[in-house]
Amino acid sequence: MTAEEAEKTRLIDEPMNKAFDWSDDETPVRDALWDYYMEKNSHDTDKTVVDMKPTLDMSDDQVKDLATKLLKK
């Protein structure tokens, strides 16, 4: 993994409570999004993989926006 690739995925690997002031969850952002999509897809792993794939190419700001939209209660 290059430094650029590592930087690109930095936020997605942060605990929710460190990435967002509105969360006290210690789950990494990646796992929280995975859990959200699993619930949405009736625990269909194949569908969840398809939904999660775009997040791997997103910038930190895009991931932050997506997580806020989907996970902030």
Side-chain angles (χ1 to χ4, degrees), residues 21-39:
D21 59 4
W22 48 262
S23 179
D24 59 0
D25 188 353
E26 294 181 6
T27 304
V29 174
R30 176 192 313 266
D31 294 349
L33 287 169
W34 177 268
D35 293 345
Y36 169 84
Y37 287 126
M38 282 294 279
E39 287 296 318

Side-chain angles (χ1 to χ4, degrees), residues 34 37-53:
W34 177 268
Y37 287 126
M38 282 294 279
E39 287 296 318
K40 178 181 155 255
N41 293 325
S42 300
H43 297 271
D44 183 324
T45 303
D46 292 333
K47 287 180 183 175
T48 300
V49 167
V50 170
D51 285 344
M52 277 296 293
K53 186 155 178 28

